[in-house]
Amino acid sequence: MTDQSVQMSLGNQFQGSTKIGGKSDRFAAFAHYFLAAIGFTIYADQVCPLLETLSPFLLFAPIALAYPLRVLLLVRLQKLPYERRIVQQFKLDIGLFISAGIGLVVTNLIAYDSLWHSNAKVLVGMAMLGLFVAVDLALTAERQLIQELVRKRYDLELGQHFVSFAQKFNMMAIAIIVSTALVLFLVVNKDLDWLLTEGIHKGADSARNSILLEVLVVMFVILAYSIRIILSYTKNLKIYLTHETQVLTAAAQGDLSVRVPIASQDEFGHMAQGTNAVIGHLQAYQQELLTTRDVSILALASLAETRDNETGAHILRTQRYVKVLAEHLSHHHDFVSELTSQTIELMYKSAPLHDVGKVGIPDSILLKPGKLTDAEFEVMKTHAQLGADALLVAEGQMGSNYFLCFAREIALTHHEKWDGSGYPRGLKGDEIPLSGRLMALADVYDALLSKRIYKPAFSHEKAKSIILEGSGSHFDSRVVDAFVACEQVFIGIEQQFKDEEGVG
């Protein structure tokens, strides 16, 4: 999984707007404020005996008017740094509800000379309602902010002091419990006072039903908001854990380009920061190892080539020929599952070691200017097995890995032929690993175009005709077809890494 795919996966977890104050945020806020206004109006007008003197409009207006004020003030919040937006939105929402409650209490005192406990209940109820609404909208905004941060690949700045996710949840739970107890106390106290003064005249059943209905409504509202907030907290917690899990899974599978978005200023933000630091160190260490490996490969392959009549440019050309062929064949239905981007890269990196076994061939044979005798050619053919054996020893010391496997099979099989007449094992057809078949064509093509003591350099057309003649006998015909399709690329590579005059 690449960094881009992880980011897309994280971003796709959220729907709707990508910023606070967007469509989904405005809808959630409107729904909260509207339902709170409607609910409070119905409660006061139909349930609470001491608030029924107020008109429905007067009960509805404070919260309803607070919403457009919120929309105007929220525009200013968009100009704040990401790190401050959620907290400021929370303060805004709870402040608007408390202000609406104070306005209602003042109106109630001036116009109706209402009792203190009735006003206290209104003020505490508004504050608690505002707390519920503010927390839920803040959690919703937090999810939208996470999406925006993931999309923009922006990380929040983390301070030394922070309130942990668990502490925030505990404080919210305590606030709910305390405010619930306080509201219920005020409701019971007010209802008992009402029962002793006015309720007694309505009869026991009517008074009891009136009190139970009010308590039931209050309990229902508290329970509904509490469940919603708990689910919202859980949803945000799942997002943070999903961030961490997906990135760690990708890193465990070898993709060290991924990073956890730092989208919260709590322990999850610090966990993300720590995870990113560890992955970054691993990536740097891996890159250093890969660079060391690549340099060692080229050094070893160049050392082997110095003992031959070939040049270092031969290494550079052949590995690029192999990559071009592999990339073209990766779209062929016979090879689409085998030639992944990782496999092609491993073939490209290991191709320079195809002739490493030549270090074991005596100079009298390796550097002989004339034609080799049959006995000498038999010795020369052993270089494929010598190279494979040397890489097998390395594989035994370092443990099996894909790179050494490819290097070993290329060294062993790049002189095998499709019809089974090659060496060292006489493999035939698909018995020859694909990497060996690709290297076979690349090596022959480069040898045909290169000047040697015993032969002149052939033209591309001449080399092409020889390769076409070998299709189905020397070479896999599908590989030959790929060569023909990519011949202009081959010509470009040969020109770019041309041997210096006099070499060879």
Side-chain angles (χ1 to χ4, degrees):
M1 183 178 288
T2 64
D3 183 32
Q4 184 179 6
S5 63
V6 169
Q7 297 293 340
M8 290 176 62
S9 177
L10 295 178
N12 287 338
Q13 295 175 45
F14 318 103
Q15 300 294 330
S17 173
T18 60
K19 65 178 182 178
I20 299 173
K23 289 183 179 179
S24 61
D25 178 75
R26 288 198 299 269
F27 176 78
F30 176 79
H32 268 300
Y33 276 69
F34 180 77
L35 291 176
I38 291 293
F40 184 78
T41 301
I42 295 174
Y43 165 76
D45 188 56
Q46 300 295 327
V47 178
C48 179
L50 291 182
L51 292 180
E52 59 186 8
T53 55
L54 297 178
S55 68
F57 174 78
L58 190 58
L59 295 169
F60 181 83
I63 301 178
L65 293 176
Y67 175 73
L69 181 59
R70 179 188 192 270
V71 174
L72 293 175
L73 294 176
L74 203 62
V75 175
R76 299 182 62 182
L77 293 184
Q78 301 305 312
K79 300 177 182 180
L80 295 176
Y82 287 118
E83 290 79 4
R84 297 178 54 194
R85 292 185 187 180
I86 303 300
V87 173
Q88 293 303 315
Q89 179 187 300
F90 172 80
K91 292 180 180 179
L92 172 63
D93 284 315
I94 197 170
L96 287 173
F97 270 82
I98 292 176
S99 298
I102 293 174
L104 190 58
V105 167
V106 171
T107 303
N108 209 16
L109 285 172
I110 295 175
Y112 301 98
D113 193 24
S114 59
L115 299 175
W116 71 269
H117 45 66
S118 181
N119 287 317
K121 185 185 69 171
V122 169
L123 189 59
V124 173
M126 278 289 195
M128 187 181 70
L129 196 59
L131 177 64
F132 285 140
V133 171
V135 170
D136 189 63
L137 289 177
L139 291 171
T140 301
E142 187 175 56
R143 288 193 294 273
Q144 295 170 353
L145 182 62
I146 293 170
Q147 182 187 15
E148 183 175 2
L149 295 176
V150 169
R151 181 175 60 84
K152 293 183 176 180
R153 299 189 180 184
Y154 178 89
D155 289 332
L156 294 180
E157 294 183 6
L158 302 180
Q160 293 182 347
H161 305 287
F162 66 94
V163 180
S164 73
F165 191 90
Q167 287 176 318
K168 288 187 288 187
F169 186 85
N170 288 338
M171 288 190 296
M172 183 60 224
I174 292 172
I176 290 175
I177 294 172
V178 171
S179 59
T180 301
L182 183 58
V183 167
L184 289 177
F185 170 77
L186 291 173
V187 168
V188 171
N189 179 72
K190 182 273 301 175
D191 286 340
L192 287 176
D193 185 71
W194 171 82
L195 182 62
L196 294 174
T197 57
E198 299 181 29
I200 194 68
H201 303 297
K202 294 189 174 184
D205 290 340
S206 178
R208 181 191 62 187
N209 292 338
S210 179
I211 294 173
L212 287 178
L213 178 61
E214 182 176 7
V215 173
L216 181 63
V217 171
V218 172
M219 291 293 293
F220 174 79
V221 172
I222 292 174
L223 185 62
Y225 271 111
S226 299
I227 292 174
R228 178 173 174 83
I229 289 173
I230 291 172
L231 293 176
S232 198
Y233 261 106
T234 305
K235 188 180 295 184
N236 287 16
L237 176 62
K238 182 180 179 181
I239 292 170
Y240 294 131
L241 293 177
T242 300
H243 285 181
E244 195 77 25
T245 301
Q246 287 186 342
V247 169
L248 288 176
T249 299
Q253 294 173 349
D255 183 5
L256 299 181
S257 65
V258 294
R259 293 293 182 272
V260 184
I262 302 176
S264 64
Q265 294 177 296
D266 49 30
E267 63 266 54
F268 291 105
H270 285 263
M271 286 170 56
Q273 188 179 59
T275 301
N276 292 343
V278 171
I279 294 177
H281 290 313
L282 289 174
Q283 187 179 34
Y285 181 65
Q286 182 191 60
Q287 187 58 48
E288 183 179 354
L289 289 178
L290 291 176
T291 301
T292 303
R293 182 199 69 180
D294 294 344
V295 170
S296 300
I297 291 170
L298 290 176
L300 183 60
S302 297
L303 179 63
E305 297 296 341
T306 59
R307 298 199 60 249
D308 198 355
N309 290 317
E310 295 176 343
T311 68
H314 167 74
I315 298 172
L316 301 178
R317 291 192 296 267
T318 52
Q319 72 172 167
R320 283 161 175 78
Y321 295 151
V322 167
K323 186 174 185 178
V324 169
L325 292 172
E327 287 176 341
H328 184 82
L329 288 172
S330 66
H331 304 290
H332 194 288
H333 60 85
D334 291 341
F335 307 110
V336 66
S337 60
E338 184 176 358
L339 289 174
T340 64
S341 58
Q342 182 184 20
T343 299
I344 294 172
E345 185 66 16
L346 288 171
M347 288 184 182
Y348 172 76
K349 294 293 186 181
S350 57
L353 294 175
H354 65 282
D355 274 339
V356 68
K358 287 184 177 180
V359 297
I361 304 299
D363 288 349
S364 59
I365 297 176
L366 189 65
L367 303 178
K368 184 176 179 180
K371 183 179 179 180
L372 298 178
T373 65
D374 291 343
E376 290 171 335
F377 187 60
E378 288 301 317
V379 175
M380 174 62 81
K381 289 195 296 184
T382 62
H383 82 273
Q385 188 65 57
L386 289 173
D389 292 343
L391 292 169
L392 183 62
V393 171
E395 192 175 351
Q397 293 294 320
M398 298 177 61
S400 179
N401 63 69
Y402 288 119
F403 168 74
L404 288 174
C405 286
F406 275 115
R408 177 164 51 84
E409 71 180 22
I410 288 176
L412 180 65
T413 64
H414 71 285
H415 284 296
E416 299 287 358
K417 296 183 179 181
W418 187 253
D419 61 7
S421 62
Y423 65 86
R425 298 186 177 179
L427 299 179
K428 184 177 182 179
D430 287 330
E431 294 177 351
I432 309 169
L434 180 57
S435 60
R437 283 177 264 162
L438 299 178
M439 190 69 231
L441 190 146
D443 195 35
V444 169
Y445 176 80
D446 195 70
L448 292 173
L449 265 65
S450 300
K451 179 182 177 182
R452 296 291 181 261
I453 296 175
Y454 53 85
K455 64 171 278 295
F458 292 164
S459 67
H460 167 77
E461 292 301 325
K462 176 64 174 177
K464 176 183 176 181
S465 66
I466 293 174
I467 289 175
L468 289 175
E469 289 177 6
S471 180
S473 56
H474 189 158
F475 309 110
D476 182 345
S477 59
R478 293 165 296 182
V479 177
V480 174
D481 291 340
F483 161 72
V484 173
C486 302
E487 63 176 309
Q488 293 303 318
V489 183
F490 271 60
I491 294 172
I493 293 173
E494 195 276 333
Q495 291 296 321
Q496 183 180 1
F497 298 96
K498 202 170 185 65
D499 289 334
E500 296 179 7
E501 289 297 326
V503 176

